[in-house]
Amino acid sequence: MQPSRRILIVEDERDIAEMVAYNLERGGHTPTISSDGQQGLQLALAEVPDLLLLDVMLPGLSGLEVCRQLRANPATAQVPILMLTARAEEADELVGLSVGADDYITKPFRMKVLLARVEALLRRAQPMPEDDGSAIVTLGLVSADQHLHAASVQGQPIRLTLTEFKLLVALMQSPKRVLSRADLIAQVMGPGIIVTARTIDVHIASIRKKLGPAGNQIRTHRGVGYQMTAEAEAVQVE
Ligand code: CA
């Protein structure tokens, strides 16, 4: 049996929140419900949960704003966040990712699907085993420490979400290969997780931005996928 995790559910639709909490509890976890964005944010900051389920449309403070504020705080920058969005809010889903959510799911969802996504995200949040001796990967200007979940560019720490970090490491570990979006989804999201290729593109765009001068080390192979190399692609600025 896996360890019990503290999961904060910030969702103002009471039926959904309670149904999710009930099922998480049955799965051995310890859920807490908040129906208000501002209160949810305070709860997450007061006691950092192992995972946050965050609705987009909330009274008080929107889920996107809650996400943004949690990401801006070092104590909660890495907390896994799974956003819940209404079906019609396709745009919000992508905005949700660019504010640093690790994953999202549209309502209405099947409970089994939600629980699988929660477990996948919790698994991803687990640090790598200590014994492989290859915790630190370096490529070009970028270093990533898989034990600490920390990345840096030229020694300067950068702040990545969990999903971004895993994607970066996957790319750094295969500099000779172009990884398709499907490869990246399989490696980073885990088996059986369905996300669109566009989700990967949004994550990659965010990683590039955060890498700053090393952003161009990630190359786009149109129609194929992504490759990370030791040298940044030439940029004509002098
Ligand atoms: Ca709502």
Side-chain angles (χ1 to χ4, degrees):
M1 210 166 134
Q2 46 208 328
S4 169
R5 305 303 186 89
R6 286 170 301 107
I7 299 176
L8 177 59
I9 305 164
V10 187
E11 164 63 89
D12 58 323
E13 283 169 78
R14 206 183 179 82
D15 293 352
I16 295 180
E18 283 177 359
M19 186 57 73
V20 170
Y22 171 78
N23 280 280
L24 287 171
E25 222 163 346
R26 277 187 52 190
H29 300 303
T30 310
T32 306
I33 297 175
S34 170
S35 57
D36 174 276
Q38 188 66 47
Q39 187 205 37
L41 176 64
Q42 293 311 322
L43 285 172
L45 291 170
E47 191 186 3
V48 181
D50 295 310
L51 185 138
L52 187 67
L53 281 170
L54 182 58
D55 185 28
V56 172
M57 304 294 271
L58 287 169
L61 203 58
S62 84
L64 300 180
E65 189 51 34
V66 172
C67 188
R68 200 175 286 127
Q69 293 201 26
L70 289 173
R71 287 297 181 240
N73 187 320
T76 49
Q78 290 271 336
V79 66
I81 298 179
L82 173 54
M83 299 208 74
L84 307 174
T85 71
R87 184 169 279 287
E89 297 167 340
E90 193 72 46
D92 285 358
E93 291 168 5
L94 297 172
V95 177
L97 288 171
S98 69
V99 298
D102 289 288
D103 199 0
Y104 64 87
I105 192 163
T106 47
K107 296 191 269 190
F109 49 80
R110 285 176 41 223
M111 191 56 67
K112 263 173 85 171
V113 173
L114 177 83
L115 295 174
R117 299 283 274 272
V118 165
E119 295 303 335
L121 201 45
L122 286 170
R123 268 199 307 278
R124 269 195 271 156
Q126 275 170 13
M128 297 277 157
E130 293 282 342
D131 54 6
D132 61 6
S134 59
I136 297 176
V137 207
T138 300
L139 187 66
L141 304 176
V142 187
S143 280
D145 184 324
Q146 297 183 79
H147 290 164
L148 299 176
H149 274 150
S152 61
V153 175
Q154 292 178 300
Q156 294 295 311
I158 54 167
R159 206 176 278 162
L160 299 174
T161 69
L162 186 61
T163 302
E164 289 167 357
F165 182 79
K166 299 263 172 169
L167 277 170
L168 177 68
V169 169
L171 286 165
M172 288 176 75
Q173 284 175 330
S174 308
K176 297 223 161 43
R177 280 187 60 203
V178 178
L179 296 173
S180 70
R181 293 171 179 82
D183 290 335
L184 289 168
I185 290 169
Q187 280 193 37
V188 172
M189 305 296 196
I193 298 300
I194 296 150
V195 297
T196 61
R198 172 79 185 126
T199 305
I200 296 294
D201 295 341
V202 173
H203 283 306
I204 296 281
S206 173
I207 296 170
R208 274 199 179 119
K209 209 162 127 195
K210 292 179 182 181
L211 287 179
N216 288 327
Q217 279 183 234
I218 300 178
R219 300 173 188 206
T220 306
H221 291 255
R222 228 166 265 289
V224 188
Y226 295 101
Q227 180 182 22
M228 188 158 172
T229 56
E231 301 83 35
E233 215 159 41
V235 189
Q236 297 83 1
V237 183
E238 192 58 72

